[in-house]
Amino acid sequence: VLVLDTEVYSNTGGQASKSTRTGAVAKFSASGKKGKKKDLARMFMTYDDVYVAHISLGANMQQAINAFKEAEAHKGPSIIIAYAPCITHGIKSGMKESIAEEKLAVESGYFPLFRYNPNEEKLKLDYKNPDFEKYDELLNNENRYAMLKAINKDKAEELLSENKKTAIKRFEYYKNLSE
């Protein structure tokens, strides 16, 4: 299974979903989503026989190729979750810069790259040192977060801070699994 993670329900015009992150402005979360993004990869890693990978083509094409090869070779179900910038993100420089946005998502720790093979019971963290100082750059580069400061300025700092804390916690979880 290949999941193109746009972090919204893209087929319905960009509605907030369980995949939408805290603070993102989307349809039905006009003042910024309050809840956390579900961690689909973590959920599937609880099964004994599911291969799981997080990829981002713009960040590391070879890692993505490796994930597809491993998923295909795996004797059992496989899921690859690909970070997929979407028009509803409102990338300020436009969708023509989506590859750069994918790279920044990984560099900033927003979207970790890894591969998990249940046969080896080991997670391979493919980007080990994100720079969380770049996190705000990513958030400010996308209208779905930047507009929160105008729409809900009283809660914006709290929601975006929670977004970053959740990403750091998620990365630390995967880092611990890889050691």
Side-chain angles (χ1 to χ4, degrees):
V1 174
L2 174 62
V3 175
L4 301 177
D5 189 359
T6 63
E7 300 187 333
V8 293
Y9 288 125
S10 298
N11 61 337
T12 59
Q15 292 176 341
S17 74
K18 299 276 190 219
S19 183
T20 305
R21 293 188 188 235
T22 306
V25 173
K27 289 182 183 179
F28 304 115
S29 69
S31 60
K33 184 176 177 223
K34 309 296 185 276
K36 295 178 183 171
K37 173 188 174 96
K38 72 177 171 188
D39 192 340
L40 190 60
R42 189 171 180 172
M43 291 166 55
F44 274 97
M45 287 172 33
T46 64
Y47 294 96
D48 292 337
D49 62 342
V50 179
Y51 174 89
V52 181
H54 251 214
I55 67 169
S56 178
L57 287 175
N60 188 332
M61 193 171 291
Q62 187 59 55
Q63 184 264 355
I65 291 168
N66 292 344
F68 277 103
K69 286 180 178 178
E70 291 170 4
E72 182 181 26
H74 178 65
K75 304 291 185 224
S78 297
I79 184 167
I80 296 174
I81 303 162
Y83 182 67
C86 174
I87 194 79
T88 63
H89 292 183
I91 300 170
K92 290 181 179 176
S93 55
M95 284 301 291
K96 69 184 183 307
E97 295 298 327
S98 62
I99 298 293
E101 196 71 3
E102 289 177 41
K103 184 176 182 185
L104 182 58
V106 171
E107 289 175 348
S108 67
Y110 185 89
F111 192 84
L113 298 183
F114 60 82
R115 293 167 290 139
Y116 174 75
N117 187 331
N119 298 331
E120 299 171 8
E121 294 185 4
K122 181 149 173 70
L123 182 128
K124 295 175 188 166
L125 193 57
D126 293 314
Y127 194 87
K128 296 182 169 107
N129 298 306
D131 181 358
F132 286 102
E133 296 297 318
K134 290 183 175 183
Y135 204 88
D136 292 338
E137 178 185 342
L138 177 89
L139 297 182
N140 291 328
N141 196 38
E142 297 185 5
N143 286 330
R144 63 182 172 154
Y145 295 117
M147 69 192 304
L148 179 64
K149 294 172 186 172
I151 293 170
N152 190 0
K153 61 183 170 186
D154 295 337
K155 286 290 215 177
E157 187 177 329
E158 176 187 332
L159 292 171
L160 297 178
S161 176
E162 184 62 32
N163 181 317
K164 184 176 181 178
K165 286 178 192 172
T166 300
I168 292 169
K169 194 174 179 179
R170 182 183 319 108
F171 177 78
E172 291 298 324
Y173 172 80
Y174 287 121
K175 183 178 179 182
N176 287 335
L177 283 180
S178 72
E179 295 173 347

